[in-house]
Amino acid sequence: SDEYYAILLSMIGSCYSDLEDYNQAIVFYTQAIEIREETLGKEHDDYANSLYNVINCYYALGGYNKAIKYATELLEIQEKLLGKEHLDYVSSLSYIANCHYNLGDYDKAIEINKQAVEIVGKIGGKKHSDYVSLLSNIAICNHRLGKYNKAIEINKQAIEIIEQVLEKGHPDYGVLLNNIASCYSDLGDYSNAIEIHNLAIAIKE
């Protein structure tokens, strides 16, 4: 059947992907997408999975504009099938934001990450592990834009959440402290930078 053929194509694509031959993987994944569009329609899990496979390959190759194109299509399908308040939808938003970040479009990355933060806040609240990570991403984008004080403010929000509802052993805790220290350093406030770097080192030890 056509679907069995699509499954075989996807399996071959996965093999090439595992071998990090992403260009060949895309060839097979794209064929599977075309078959599934004709036989299953776009609003089907298998079609969505095929899109996800292609997105991963383009991302790995640095083909961020192509990854955005397919991820935007996946996002539209997820909105219809799952609604916006779903972690799979958030995951696609994050993928698109990361692509824009890698393209140097930090303002767009911030805009999309803010959407993702808002959704995660509704789904799981500030206790959800993705909430802190998304705040960290927004802070990094502000840092890249030279908005150091804004980046410090957002990183401190994330640290407060870890201290209040998570724990200092959280993997992002030391990263956030180092990010704040880097911002202080870029502002020329070296005494604060050193103090916070030392705190990060003490926690890591």
Side-chain angles (χ1 to χ4, degrees):
S1 70
D2 287 336
E3 179 50 23
Y4 182 66
Y5 185 52
I7 290 167
L8 288 175
L9 289 168
S10 293
M11 287 171 67
I12 296 167
S14 293
C15 291
Y16 278 115
S17 182
D18 289 343
L19 291 167
E20 298 183 4
D21 188 347
Y22 300 112
N23 284 307
Q24 274 300 316
I26 287 167
V27 171
F28 288 96
Y29 284 145
T30 305
Q31 289 178 57
I33 285 173
E34 289 168 0
I35 291 168
R36 283 172 171 162
E37 184 178 350
E38 287 178 18
T39 58
L40 303 174
K42 289 189 174 185
E43 292 178 20
H44 192 282
D45 281 347
D46 289 341
Y47 180 81
N49 288 336
S50 294
L51 288 176
Y52 186 74
N53 291 335
V54 170
I55 294 162
N56 279 330
C57 290
Y58 277 119
Y59 192 89
L61 288 167
Y64 302 118
N65 283 312
K66 283 276 192 182
I68 288 168
K69 174 180 172 284
Y70 283 102
T72 302
E73 184 181 351
L74 178 59
L75 199 68
E76 288 167 0
I77 292 165
Q78 288 169 334
E79 186 177 347
K80 287 178 184 175
L81 297 179
L82 307 170
K84 287 186 176 182
E85 291 182 17
H86 194 284
L87 287 176
D88 286 350
Y89 185 84
V90 171
S91 178
S92 295
L93 278 177
S94 296
Y95 234 126
I96 294 169
N98 287 339
C99 288
H100 282 292
Y101 174 85
N102 287 320
L103 288 166
D105 190 351
Y106 306 121
D107 284 313
K108 190 69 177 174
I110 288 169
E111 179 192 326
I112 296 166
N113 275 317
K114 280 182 176 177
Q115 289 177 48
V117 165
E118 193 177 326
I119 294 166
V120 172
K122 287 179 183 175
I123 298 170
K126 292 180 179 181
K127 288 186 179 182
H128 197 284
S129 59
D130 287 348
Y131 194 88
V132 167
S133 297
L134 288 164
L135 281 180
S136 176
N137 290 345
I138 294 168
I140 289 166
C141 289
N142 277 288
H143 191 168
R144 290 282 188 175
L145 287 167
K147 297 178 180 179
Y148 306 122
N149 286 313
K150 185 69 177 172
I152 289 167
E153 179 193 327
I154 296 165
N155 278 316
K156 283 184 175 178
Q157 283 176 34
I159 281 177
E160 274 179 32
I161 292 165
I162 290 175
E163 288 176 341
Q164 289 170 12
V165 299
L166 299 167
E167 56 183 22
K168 288 186 179 180
H170 190 280
D172 286 342
Y173 194 78
V175 173
L176 289 165
L177 286 172
N178 279 322
N179 289 346
I180 292 172
S182 295
C183 289
Y184 278 123
S185 181
D186 287 335
L187 283 167
D189 186 349
Y190 302 116
S191 59
N192 254 326
I194 291 165
E195 183 184 335
I196 294 167
H197 268 310
N198 286 336
L199 179 59
I201 290 165
I203 288 167
K204 192 173 182 182
E205 286 174 349

